[in-house]
Structure formats: C-alpha cells, structure tokens
Amino acid sequence: MSQVTNLRLLFLSSFPLRSSVSFSLISKPRSLSLFPVLASSSSRKPRKVPHQPLSIGRRNHSTLGGKDKGVAMEKTESLDFNKRRLEGKDKNDLPKTLHLKSRKLNPANTISYVQILGTGMDTQDTSPSVLLFFDKQRFIFNAGEGLQRFCTEHKIKLSKIDHILLSRVCSETAGGLPGLLLTLAGMGEEGMCVKIWGPSDLDKLVLAMKSFIPNAAMIHTERFGPNHDSNVPAILDQSKYRDPFVVMDTEVVKISAIILQPRYSAAKPADMSVLYICELPEIKGRFYPEKAVALGLKRGPKYRELQLGNSVKSDYQNIMVHPSDVMDPSVPGPIVLLVDCPTESHLEELLSVQSLSSFYADSTGNTPEGARTVTCIIHLSPASVISSSNYQKWMKRFGSAQHIMAGHEMKNAEIPILKSSARISARLNYLCPQFFPALGFWSLPNHNSSVPGTLTSNEVPVSRLCESISAKNLLKFTLRPYANLGFDRSGIPSMTAPSEIIDELFSEIPEVVEAAAHISQLWQRSSIADDGISSVRDNKDMVEEPWFFADTIPTCLENIKRDDLEIVFLGTGSSQPSKYRNVSSIYINLFSKGSLLLDCGEGTLGQLKRRYGVEGADNAVRGLRCIWISHIHADHHTGLARVLALRRDLLKGVPHEPVLVVGPRQLKRYLDAYQRLEDLDMQFLDCKFTTEASWVDFECVESNNGHNSSGSPISFQDMNNDKTGITTSKIDTTLFSRGSTMQSYWKRPGSPVDKGVVYPIMKNLKKVLCEAGLAALISFPVIHCPHAFGVVLEAAERINSVGNVIPGWKVVYSGDTRPCPELIEASRGATVLIHEATFEDAMVEEAVARNHSTTKEAVEVGDSAGAYRIILTHFSQRYPKIPVFDETHMHKTCIAFDMMSINIADLHVLPRVLPYLKLLFKNEMIVDESDEVVDAVIVAS
C-alpha cells in the first residue's frame, strides 16, 4: 500500500493544487474563467495518444512523464497560465477585476420589450424570469434554476445582460444565479460580469456563494431595504420603503422599488419581496422649424427651450410661443410593474401602499388628470394569492393596463420548456420504453384550451376593462416603437405532441421500427416474471442469446423484485447545463422505503418533475431520506437548496425528521450561510464520517452502548478528546495521510469537529439506512479535488423462498475522479458501478489534467473491480447528444441519458440495448467544436 501512496503523492505533486484545481492542457488556452476553469472547445480535433491499460500500481500517462524536455516545459507553462487565470490574475500575476459593461444608450431610437423566460409551466419548480430588453442594455428580473439552460435552448445571449434584479432572495428566485455567474465569468478572454440588485439580504446569498465560488467578492451587488442585522427592529424601519425609491435611472429606463414585508415579528430575510416599477422616458414630439419661423422666432437658443418644454416670446411678434405650437405631442413613456406577492400577508402590505395611488384609474376606468398610466403588469404572484378577491380588486384599479399572469399555474403543461431535451426523450421512449418511460408532463391533462386574450374557467377573472392572459414562454410585450405597443406572440413555442416527434423519427431513421421490436423481444425472452427474475440460467429459450452468459448473473439478483430499486439519471452532463443534458444528479428510488439523491446539480427539481410529473415529484421529494453530495463543485450541488426548500414546504405541519445531507465539509459552510436566508430543515454530516473506518469506530461505540473502554458513558469532552478507547486514526485514508499533498486541505486550522454532535447524527443515519432497506452507505476519497468522494450503497441481505440468505445488491457511484485504487477497491463485486466518463479515449491528456476519466478508463475500472454492470455518466458538453466511445470494450456497459430509469430487475438486459441507442444517434455522433459549446470544469475554493 505504501507503493500506491507514493505514486499518488507523485501524481499530486506533478499538479500543484491551490483551490481544487484541474488544469487544462491545450496548446492555446482560451476562455478560461476567474471562477471556474472554463475552456471553449478547440477548433481542432484532439491529438490521438496511445492509451495504456489501467494499472493500480502505475499511472504513467504522457502528461506525467514526458520524454521530451521541451514538451514538458511547454506543458508546465500551460499549467502555470491556467493556474494564474483560475486565481484571478493576469499574465503579470496582478489581481484581475471583472468590469461592468459600459454602453452608449439612445432612448429615442431603440427597440424595447419585456419577455417571459422559463415560466416553469411544465415543472412549476422555479419562479419565471422576465427580460427587459433594449437595443444596447438588458435587464433580467429573477434568475431561478434552469434560466441558463432555457436561454441556451432559445439562443438568448446571456453575455448581453447588464443587470439582474431579484424580487426575493431565495432558492426559487435565485437558484440559477451561481451557475450563471460562473458561466459569464468564463466567457471570452476577459470574462464578464453583471450587477445584481435585490433586497438587503442579498449579502447573505453572496456570503453563501463565497464558500464555493472563488473570488465571489468580484460580484457587483447593490442591496436596498431594511437591514435585518441592524439593532433597529425591521418593523419600525420598513415603513419608509413602502414609497417607491429609485434603484437606477439610466437614459433608457428608471427602475424604482417598493419593499413588501409581512408585519409579523417572525419574518425571515427571504420573506422580503420587491415590487419593481420600470418607467421608460417620454419621447418628445417632432419639432417643426417652419412653424417656429411663421410665429416670428429666430433660429437659436429658443428652439432648444421649446424642445425642452418651455414657452418663449416671439422675436418679431408680440405673442408667446408654446411647445404645442411647433411640436407634435410627446409620446408618454410606457410603465411596467413587476409584482411578486408570495403570500396573503404580503398582500396586506401591498394594499396599504399609498404611493401606488398615482397609478390608479378612477371608478369608470379612466385615468385622472396628473395620474400616470401603467401599460403592463407582470404578476409573479402564485395563483392562490391572485385568486383572492382583494388581489382582484387591486388589479382592477389599474384601468386599461394589460395583465400577464406569470405565477405558478397549471397552464400549457404539455408544452415542454426544454423542447430539444424533450424531443430526445420522446425518441428514446419509443425505442426503449423500459429504460426511458414517458415524461411526466405529457401525461397531464390538456390545459391549453384558451384563445389568446380570453379567459378560461381556471384563470383569474379580472375587470372587463383590462386584458389578462397567462404567461407563455417567450411571450413579448412591445414597449418601443410606440406604434407596435402590445403583445407579440410570434415567438411562443408551439405545442409538440410525442406522435409528431415519432413521425419525424420514422422518416429520418426507418430502421428504428425494427430496432424497437428487437428491444421489446429482449424483455419477452428474458423471462421476467411479475415477482422478479426467474432463473435465467435454466431457461432453454436463452441459448441463442450468448450475451446473457458472458458473465454470471449475481446471486443478489435472484428473484429480485421490481419495487426494490430503480436508478433514475436526472442529469448526465458535466460543468454546466446544456440543451440535451442537465448537470449531475441521480435519484435512487427505493419505492415504499423512500429514496436518496446522489449529487444535486442545478435543475434537479425540474428534472424530477419532468420525469414524474408535478405531483409525482412532490411525493418523491417528501420521501427523500438522504442526499449525498460528492464534492463542492457547482455542477454537483447548486440544486440542493431548492429541493430542501420544497421538502420543507411540503412537510410543513406534518411530523417528520429533517433530511440528512452527507457531503464534504465545505458544503456545510455554504448551507450554514444559506440558512440565514431560509430554513432548509436538514441535518448535515461530513462525508469524512461515513468512510469505512469511521463506521468501524462508530460500531465500536455502538457495541459498547455509548460507553468508553472504562465503562463510563462517552461524554462531550470524551468525544472531542478521543478518550473513548477507540482508534480513530483510520478515518484519515492514505489519500489524506500525514505528509500528503492534500493534507493541508483536509486539516486546515479551524476544522476540529464536535464529535459529540457527529455521533448522534451517524446514529440517525444508520436508522434511516435501516428503514430504507440499506445495510451501508460508505464514502471513500477519490482523486479530483480536495474532499472529493465516491459512495457505496449496499442493500440488506434477504431470505429467498427456500430460506437461503441472499446478499444485497451493491451500487457504487464514482463522483468525479481519475481512476484510483480507492474506487477499484470500493467497487469490488459491485452490482452496478456508475462511473464518470467526461472525455473520449483520445483525450487522455485532458482527462489527466482535469482529474477526470475517459470512457475506456471508466470501463477498465469496472472490469478490474469485477463489477457486474457499468453505467457511464458525466459527459463533457462537447458531446451534445451521445459521447464518443469504442463499442468493442462495452460488453457490460451502457451510456446514461437524462431521464434514463434503470430497474434492477432489468440489469441483465442493459448492455444489449447500447447498440440500438447508438443507432438512434447515427447521424449525430459528431463532437460539437463550435464556440457555443463551453466545456467547463467548475472548481471551488
């Protein structure tokens, strides 16, 4: 084992890590981020390199031991360059700052509109975003999870965004912010950033993000409203914020805000809501010089005075000349309100805001003299609030204003937000419905029966004087030019039925019909009974299928039940969401025994709702027993807060236990900081305390009934001072042993753990695992970044029909890693090994540099460990639909896709399906080398 440790130290010392960094080895580094290492794909194909078989005792790729000294120096320089960029320094090692964009604006000659982005109608998992568009300036209100993916789908350029304004600071409205900031920071050579505005507790969100976004202080933020950290009670301080106060005033728009906060004393920071008022300047009417001359005016300063709205005395006539004498009437600037009123308590505050009276119409619906006419109101409030009589009466007070209802309503649920992903899912469902069930939103009833501009029975009935429509994705309301004022529905996606997609598939790949029939026969001929898999070894019908006997079916699958385990891949891409693959998340469905999540990247909740439907996903979230996070990179955990917040809301008032979150210790810093915003109703346990050595120590304590070696109860001080009579040194694995490169990250000052707190949480975890039918959840360190882990899940033993003991199944998930002995050892005899395969085989150097694995390396790990089935995931987004792989060594392996659902009873069929999946993408197995594809490896501090 010492030899392995020394080799690991050699490997780590070759790539000095500062902040969980994986450096890129490319000849001309470009588009590298200050926050992550973000590198656009090279325009050239990667150089082929000879691949060496995986060896536990030798990892000597060309990047580790180059023969040519000049090449080695060039690679070292490349690593140094990437390291500087990661740390936010320029080529002179000076601190680098992301600057806000500066644009020259013209309020008179511009196009302007508001547009609905990602209403969440098919998933209802986040608050919609609203784009306020000008030719040279863009504003986005709210940035919920999935915003980045939606914009990628519909070619909305995030690089053009100048400001993001939050109506509330919570997971619902800001869950997509971390990923968005990371992506923007990696765009172009210099990186980009935006200014973020929000209520005063925005600083708490920024503080939380600092735990995993390097240089988060570079985020430009502006907060306003009552300060909850002040000694002055917020209830006494907030009255002054009921009047509009100017947030920003540019040449093209003035944006004001009104703070809404319930008056109850227990108000939390996330309870603060903002009503935004966007006022475009009026456009002066045309000036006619000939009229001025006819009224006796000389050319000169008086022309300017008239254009500014001032009257002047005629130079040649004894009269006063007024602006209306020589100019067309001014065109008033449109006014847009964005209203986020999340609860009845907020509504009480909204109704008490007197300053809004200047926008109200009279009882006849006409605008009183001196009042300002509101053009459009976008309601982000939920249907439960909008449907109240008080809210409806308030809406009527705005006379002829156009109302867009953008809250969470069951509208257009059959129109998927992410049509590209839904299209692939429908095609996969046709080919292999056993592994790709129909998506949940297509099973919902049709709610799209309304005619644009009319009300249906489930819409809010507002005044006949105004128009109210339900928001649809990409719906526009044009503000300028004035001649086009009103709704623009031209960009709204049309409804897509699965039958249309399948007809297109038949035309494109006619042989898919025969392929689907062959796949159907696989299940019919594998003799799956209702009570599980019968003894396929004795089935004579299977003789002509030699692939069934290529490897022995594990004993743990004997008479397995279909309600025992299902593995659902919610996200199978790396770095950042794309059109076709979301970022990492795996749902472990144990059916009546509950469920677990392995990683929880941004958009995990939305993916759950697409897979199971809104109600089904809510039940899945209620049933979560544990969420396990592999490491602190953003593509693995930024969906966590949203899932936890929904579970909290669903179980409010119901007796329940907090969900257990197991993750690296940096994740606790993020969650602790975030919980200052909203309660996440969770218990946290460091992965370090779920290693095999930690469980051994825990079982020793358990066997002594909580007593130390002298027979006395283990006290708080005993746990902290290791006076338990138990050897705890095993907790530190060889990867983090004394003197190792990573030891400084593992044992930083300030890292002592209160073991008196850890022990009861471990006891609780053991109880949760037992109730879920699991014998073990064991974390093990892997080679990716400091505090990166893989995990083993083992089911409890069971008794078969004749009384024999059958071992439980074993599922291993690698997280992000290079091939390493710890992973191979943990995967011994695994029923399923889920292994990351970020890069194709030809990109070994890239994989080594970034501490990821190639497809072949992942398969070799599974072969070395004797795993029964290997499922590859976490593919680089340079492979938009299906990764590049060599089919010759995939005899027990399959490629994962988003929404793929694998029942343990079907594992024996799994590899046989892969060639058919390849057929489905036969025209699309091309690496995407365009500049639009950003192959990012997100890193953390």
Side-chain angles (χ1 to χ4, degrees):
M1 194 65 185
S2 60
Q3 180 185 7
V4 173
T5 302
N6 291 335
L7 284 169
R8 184 184 299 108
L9 294 178
L10 174 62
F11 172 82
L12 292 171
S13 62
S14 301
F15 297 92
L17 296 175
R18 179 180 177 89
S19 203
S20 69
V21 183
S22 299
F23 300 116
S24 172
L25 291 179
I26 47 181
S27 57
K28 292 183 179 181
R30 54 189 293 270
S31 302
L32 296 176
S33 168
L34 294 177
F35 293 172
V37 177
L38 291 169
S40 296
S41 302
S42 170
S43 59
R44 296 179 296 175
K45 294 290 183 181
R47 179 171 60 87
K48 297 286 184 180
V49 297
H51 180 80
Q52 298 182 7
L54 179 68
S55 172
I56 298 179
R58 178 171 59 91
R59 280 195 296 275
N60 191 26
H61 295 299
S62 58
T63 50
L64 300 182
K67 297 179 181 180
D68 185 88
K69 187 175 181 180
V71 173
M73 290 180 62
E74 180 181 349
K75 291 177 179 176
T76 301
E77 291 174 359
S78 176
L79 289 175
D80 290 341
F81 176 83
N82 292 337
K83 182 173 182 288
R84 289 195 303 269
R85 295 298 297 271
L86 175 78
E87 295 172 353
K89 298 177 180 179
D90 62 15
K91 62 184 179 181
N92 298 316
D93 282 342
L94 297 175
K96 185 176 180 181
T97 302
L98 294 176
H99 296 285
L100 293 169
K101 296 176 280 292
S102 177
R103 308 185 192 276
K104 187 176 181 180
L105 308 175
N106 183 350
N109 184 23
T110 187
I111 295 173
S112 177
Y113 55 80
V114 288
Q115 186 173 32
I116 306 298
L117 306 181
T119 64
M121 287 178 183
D122 66 346
T123 58
Q124 304 179 47
D125 55 306
T126 60
S127 175
S129 297
V130 178
L131 170 67
L132 176 57
F133 176 96
F134 296 93
D135 284 342
K136 295 185 177 180
Q137 196 168 48
R138 317 285 163 81
F139 304 81
I140 279 186
F141 295 86
N142 289 343
E145 289 185 33
L147 172 62
Q148 183 178 177
R149 196 176 184 197
F150 178 88
C151 291
T152 301
E153 170 92 8
H154 297 286
K155 296 181 171 57
I156 297 172
K157 293 187 177 180
L158 294 169
S159 59
K160 300 291 186 181
I161 304 302
D162 297 276
H163 301 273
I164 297 176
L165 299 95
L166 302 179
S167 64
R168 281 178 288 139
V169 184
C170 60
S171 59
E172 184 182 359
T173 59
L177 202 54
L180 182 60
L181 292 173
L182 288 165
T183 298
L184 289 173
M187 286 185 174
E189 283 296 316
E190 298 300 323
M192 301 177 182
C193 69
V194 296
K195 192 163 188 177
I196 304 170
W197 306 75
S200 55
D201 295 295
L202 176 60
D203 61 339
K204 296 179 175 62
L205 177 62
V206 173
L207 178 63
M209 289 192 296
K210 281 184 179 180
S211 61
F212 67 93
I213 299 181
N215 303 319
M218 289 183 178
I219 299 173
H220 298 268
T221 61
E222 194 76 34
R223 57 193 187 93
F224 46 80
N227 189 348
H228 285 274
D229 292 331
S230 172
N231 294 325
V232 180
I235 190 170
L236 300 178
D237 191 42
Q238 68 183 4
S239 58
K240 64 181 180 181
Y241 296 104
R242 292 193 193 129
D243 293 330
F245 56 94
V246 177
V247 173
M248 70 179 80
D249 193 354
T250 72
E251 295 94 328
V252 295
V253 67
K254 180 174 79 170
I255 299 179
S256 305
I258 296 175
I259 297 291
L260 304 176
Q261 185 171 22
R263 301 189 184 189
Y264 50 80
S265 58
K268 292 201 67 174
D271 292 337
M272 193 183 303
S273 183
V274 183
L275 184 154
Y276 286 105
I277 304 169
C278 305
E279 300 177 80
L280 277 64
E282 71 173 9
I283 297 179
K284 299 293 183 181
R286 179 183 175 187
F287 178 78
Y288 296 93
E290 62 273 17
K291 291 184 179 181
V293 171
L295 293 173
L297 285 174
K298 295 188 297 186
R299 294 181 181 274
K302 291 184 179 180
Y303 280 21
R304 176 63 175 166
E305 288 297 315
L306 286 167
Q307 292 179 59
L308 291 174
N310 301 320
S311 298
V312 298
K313 183 174 177 60
S314 173
D315 294 308
Y316 300 113
Q317 301 177 31
N318 189 24
I319 59 172
M320 292 295 294
V321 181
H322 305 288
S324 58
D325 297 329
V326 295
M327 295 177 66
D328 284 339
S330 296
V331 178
I335 299 175
V336 177
L337 269 58
L338 290 97
V339 184
D340 187 354
C341 188
T343 69
E344 291 282 352
S345 298
H346 289 84
L347 178 56
E348 292 178 12
E349 288 298 307
L350 177 62
L351 298 176
S352 68
V353 176
Q354 297 299 318
S355 57
L356 288 175
S357 59
S358 62
F359 298 107
Y360 294 155
D362 60 23
S363 58
T364 64
N366 297 317
T367 303
E369 185 177 353
R372 294 173 290 172
T373 302
V374 174
T375 312
C376 175
I377 304 178
I378 300 175
H379 300 269
L380 304 177
S381 312
S384 59
V385 173
I386 293 177
S387 61
S388 68
S389 59
N390 285 335
Y391 197 96
Q392 293 181 49
K393 291 176 182 177
W394 179 77
M395 289 174 62
K396 293 179 183 179
R397 304 186 71 174
F398 291 95
S400 60
Q402 309 291 300
H403 296 268
I404 301 177
M405 319 310 289
H408 293 176
E409 295 182 278
M410 284 297 293
K411 302 292 296 180
N412 307 313
E414 72 282 0
I415 302 179
I417 289 179
L418 304 170
K419 296 187 71 172
S420 297
S421 175
R423 178 177 173 270
I424 285 184
S425 294
R427 292 159 70 104
L428 288 166
N429 170 251
Y430 172 81
L431 181 63
C432 184
Q434 296 86 353
F435 286 150
F436 302 95
L439 296 184
F441 57 78
W442 266 322
S443 63
L444 295 172
N446 191 321
H447 294 277
N448 194 32
S449 58
S450 62
V451 177
T454 65
L455 299 175
T456 59
S457 58
N458 62 346
E459 282 192 69
V460 177
V462 293
S463 170
R464 294 180 180 177
L465 299 173
C466 62
E467 182 180 10
S468 172
I469 70 169
S470 290
K472 297 178 176 64
N473 280 314
L474 303 182
L475 171 69
K476 289 181 182 178
F477 190 93
T478 301
L479 303 173
R480 295 259 164 83
Y482 184 77
N484 297 334
L485 185 72
F487 292 107
D488 178 356
R489 300 177 174 86
S490 61
I492 297 175
S494 59
M495 185 177 73
T496 303
S499 58
E500 298 175 47
I501 298 173
I502 302 309
D503 289 343
E504 179 188 78
L505 175 62
F506 291 161
S507 175
E508 180 185 331
I509 310 176
E511 56 268 39
V512 75
V513 177
E514 184 179 2
H518 287 169
I519 288 179
S520 179
Q521 292 173 10
L522 293 179
W523 266 264
Q524 296 173 12
R525 300 169 66 185
S526 63
S527 301
I528 299 180
D530 291 337
D531 60 346
I533 300 176
S534 59
S535 180
V536 296
R537 301 181 187 85
D538 300 328
N539 192 330
K540 296 180 180 179
D541 291 337
M542 300 306 299
V543 171
E544 65 179 7
E545 296 289 355
W547 62 273
F548 272 113
F549 303 98
D551 48 4
T552 304
I553 293 179
T555 307
C556 66
L557 296 182
E558 180 184 337
N559 298 116
I560 197 77
K561 306 290 185 180
R562 297 198 68 84
D563 63 352
D564 201 69
L565 168 67
E566 181 182 51
I567 304 171
V568 181
F569 291 87
L570 301 176
T572 57
S574 67
S575 307
Q576 64 189 55
S578 73
K579 288 169 61 175
Y580 305 105
R581 293 184 185 271
N582 204 53
V583 288
S584 298
S585 183
I586 301 171
Y587 178 66
I588 303 296
N589 186 6
L590 302 174
F591 297 93
S592 62
K593 299 186 292 292
S595 59
L596 294 85
L597 276 174
L598 306 181
D599 281 336
C600 191
E602 178 187 341
T604 291
L605 179 57
Q607 293 291 87
L608 267 176
K609 294 196 174 189
R610 291 181 183 95
R611 168 61 181 85
Y612 291 107
V614 175
E615 184 177 348
D618 286 350
N619 290 333
V621 172
R622 286 190 190 95
L624 280 174
R625 311 304 304 272
C626 177
I627 302 175
W628 183 91
I629 304 297
S630 61
H631 60 292
I632 196 65
H633 290 173
D635 56 332
H636 291 259
H637 76 85
T638 51
L640 182 57
R642 187 76 196 101
V643 171
L644 293 175
L646 177 62
R647 184 180 183 273
R648 172 204 66 207
D649 294 340
L650 292 172
L651 295 176
K652 191 173 183 179
V654 178
H656 68 280
E657 293 291 329
V659 71
L660 275 162
V661 175
V662 180
R665 71 161 185 237
Q666 304 102 313
L667 181 64
K668 186 176 188 299
R669 298 173 192 161
Y670 165 66
L671 294 174
D672 285 347
Y674 189 90
Q675 288 202 116
R676 297 178 64 193
L677 281 171
E678 53 181 336
D679 178 30
L680 297 179
D681 191 24
M682 43 122 333
Q683 274 188 324
F684 182 85
L685 185 63
D686 193 328
C687 283
K688 173 181 177 180
F689 293 101
T690 59
T691 62
E692 186 171 13
S694 296
W695 281 116
V696 170
D697 288 346
F698 171 80
E699 293 297 337
C700 290
V701 175
E702 285 280 276
S703 64
N704 290 328
N705 294 318
H707 291 70
N708 60 23
S709 56
S710 64
S712 302
I714 295 176
S715 66
F716 176 88
Q717 290 80 11
D718 287 337
M719 294 294 288
N720 279 333
N721 297 323
D722 282 338
K723 294 179 179 178
T724 60
I726 301 167
T727 303
T728 58
S729 59
K730 297 177 184 177
I731 291 176
D732 291 336
T733 68
T734 54
L735 187 59
F736 301 101
S737 61
R738 183 179 300 278
S740 72
T741 307
M742 289 190 178
Q743 186 196 23
S744 60
Y745 295 96
W746 187 251
K747 292 186 175 297
R748 288 179 178 173
S751 65
V753 177
D754 185 349
K755 298 177 184 177
V757 174
V758 170
Y759 175 78
I761 298 177
M762 291 184 69
K763 190 171 184 178
N764 187 28
L765 176 58
K766 183 179 178 181
K767 173 177 173 288
V768 165
L769 295 176
C770 183
E771 292 173 350
L774 298 176
L777 181 155
I778 301 172
S779 303
F780 55 91
V782 294
I783 297 178
H784 181 60
C785 66
H787 310 288
F789 291 87
V791 68
V792 177
L793 297 177
E794 290 189 46
E797 295 177 341
R798 51 195 172 87
I799 307 296
N800 67 6
S801 57
V802 295
N804 294 330
V805 176
I806 299 176
W809 47 260
K810 178 179 178 180
V811 173
V812 180
Y813 171 48
S814 70
D816 286 5
T817 184
R818 289 288 301 144
C820 60
E822 289 78 11
L823 176 55
I824 294 175
E825 187 60 33
S827 303
R828 298 284 181 202
T831 316
V832 179
L833 168 61
I834 304 170
H835 199 300
E836 73 116 292
T838 308
F839 296 104
E840 62 183 286
D841 297 343
M843 300 188 70
V844 175
E845 289 187 357
E846 195 85 354
V848 171
R850 297 188 176 189
N851 280 350
H852 283 292
S853 299
T854 66
T855 300
K856 187 174 183 180
E857 286 175 331
V859 174
E860 288 177 344
V861 167
D863 286 340
S864 298
Y868 173 60
R869 290 291 178 256
I870 306 165
I871 305 174
L872 305 183
T873 187
H874 196 269
F875 304 111
S876 165
Q877 301 291 16
R878 73 175 67 222
Y879 315 114
K881 296 179 182 178
I882 188 169
V884 177
F885 60 91
D886 182 356
E887 200 170 324
T888 58
H889 58 266
M890 304 284 280
H891 62 282
K892 59 180 179 180
T893 305
C894 195
I895 300 296
F897 294 84
D898 282 19
M899 306 301 175
M900 190 176 191
S901 303
I902 301 174
N903 194 288
I904 192 170
D906 298 329
L907 282 178
H908 57 296
V909 189
L910 186 62
R912 189 64 169 172
V913 174
L914 184 59
Y916 298 101
L917 300 182
K918 191 172 181 179
L919 166 69
L920 197 63
F921 300 98
K922 69 173 187 176
N923 300 325
E924 302 175 81
M925 292 189 65
I926 301 173
V927 176
D928 191 334
E929 297 288 355
S930 68
D931 290 337
E932 294 297 320
V933 176
V934 180
D935 182 37
V937 179
I938 299 179
V939 299
S941 59

